[in-house]
Amino acid sequence: MSDGGGPGIWAVPERQGRGPRPAYSRAQITEAAVRIADAEGLDAASMRRIAAELGTGAMSLYRYVPSRDDLIELMVDHVLGEAGVPDRPSGDWRADLTLVAEGTRAMWRRHPWLTGLRRPQPTFGPNRLRLTEFALGALDVGISIDEILTLLDMVNGYVERSVRGEIEWMREMERSGLTPERWMRESVPHVRELIDSGDYPMFTRVVQEARLPHMSGDEQFRYGLERVLDFVAGALPED
């Protein structure tokens, strides 16, 4: 999720050469940065702010984390460890990808600052590699690696799009104080006018027939995920 690519910070030893034992670890710096970002947003997690939290000077932290991109890479890999996947796939690809999708959604919701990052170049953080290895392995069912990558990208794309929408909606509610129930009440007069006009038959069907808008966020997510996994199933060899 950082702007860098390749091995990045993972290619730089945490402790280089001889000398006194470091006063801090990258893990401590990363954990402090994540705490700040969770509470105040990603921009608040500056080296100066992290140093203040740790009780040291900002310049000293650059010995451990050379750049902002490196810090973000460490932060993202740290929270990816919360996805909670086992060491190996279970053999039930659908259950395994559901586990990945739901764990990833929960991770994004706990750390909404992730939405401020653009799509990453590949990096080699240990948690990202573990999650990727598990997800790819779940689809290792007799199809090519290119097919595995394409199908997994579809699942990941659905998860990311869905959770970004959820987080943006939550932010809008916080900003405006507008709840979904209040929004629906205030929209009723205009919606009735649109339906009565007869000009929007498909919109009318959405209002009158659709179940999705009345589902909880969890139910909506699972409904969409099941449709995506149905498509994946259609691309896999028959048992």
Side-chain angles (χ1 to χ4, degrees):
M1 299 255 176
S2 77
D3 292 336
I9 188 66
W10 313 107
V12 181
E14 183 160 0
R15 187 178 184 184
Q16 303 178 49
R18 298 180 178 180
R21 181 175 296 277
Y24 301 98
S25 68
R26 283 180 184 164
Q28 287 175 299
I29 295 168
T30 302
E31 288 164 6
V34 169
R35 285 195 302 271
I36 294 166
D38 287 347
E40 305 173 34
L42 184 62
D43 289 345
S46 65
M47 284 299 196
R48 185 181 299 276
R49 179 74 173 78
I50 296 165
E53 173 128 335
L54 295 175
T56 188
M59 293 306 297
S60 67
L61 298 186
Y62 286 101
R63 293 173 51 207
Y64 308 90
V65 183
S67 73
R68 175 73 171 173
D69 283 350
D70 292 328
L71 175 64
I72 291 174
E73 191 174 329
L74 288 165
M75 293 169 67
V76 171
D77 195 73
H78 178 80
V79 300
L80 284 173
E82 299 174 8
V85 297
D87 291 336
R88 293 179 179 82
S90 69
D92 181 341
W93 69 264
R94 194 173 188 118
D96 288 339
L97 291 190
T98 297
L99 181 68
V100 170
E102 293 185 338
T104 301
R105 174 178 177 248
M107 180 265 294
W108 277 68
R109 286 170 60 94
R110 284 191 296 270
H111 308 289
W113 49 267
L114 289 166
T115 62
L117 304 176
R118 68 175 179 85
R119 275 213 160 197
Q121 296 291 330
T123 57
F124 302 122
N127 290 321
R128 183 186 293 280
L129 286 170
R130 184 167 179 267
L131 181 59
T132 301
E133 191 73 14
F134 179 87
L136 293 173
L139 280 177
D140 189 14
V141 292
I143 60 177
S144 72
I145 193 65
D146 290 320
E147 289 179 281
I148 293 174
L149 289 168
T150 299
L151 293 173
L152 189 58
D153 189 58
M154 288 175 50
V155 177
N156 289 337
Y158 168 74
V159 174
E160 181 174 337
R161 181 189 63 79
S162 297
V163 76
R164 281 182 181 275
E166 288 184 77
I167 292 171
E168 288 305 313
W169 179 243
M170 287 188 291
R171 285 173 173 160
E172 177 60 23
M173 286 193 295
E174 291 175 1
R175 185 190 66 78
S176 66
L178 187 67
T179 64
E181 294 76 18
R182 179 182 161 193
W183 180 84
M184 291 184 72
R185 284 197 307 269
E186 294 180 356
S187 300
V188 165
H190 185 53
V191 168
R192 283 177 177 161
E193 289 179 8
L194 294 173
I195 292 174
D196 291 343
S197 74
D199 294 332
Y200 308 100
M202 295 306 296
F203 174 76
T204 299
R205 286 193 62 191
V206 170
V207 174
Q208 295 180 344
E209 301 174 28
R211 295 184 297 116
L212 273 172
H214 305 287
M215 295 180 184
S216 68
D218 290 346
E219 291 170 332
Q220 289 184 29
F221 179 80
R222 176 58 74 90
Y223 183 89
L225 178 62
E226 290 297 330
R227 304 291 79 71
V228 174
L229 295 179
D230 287 343
F231 181 89
V232 172
L236 299 182
E238 295 184 6
D239 294 333

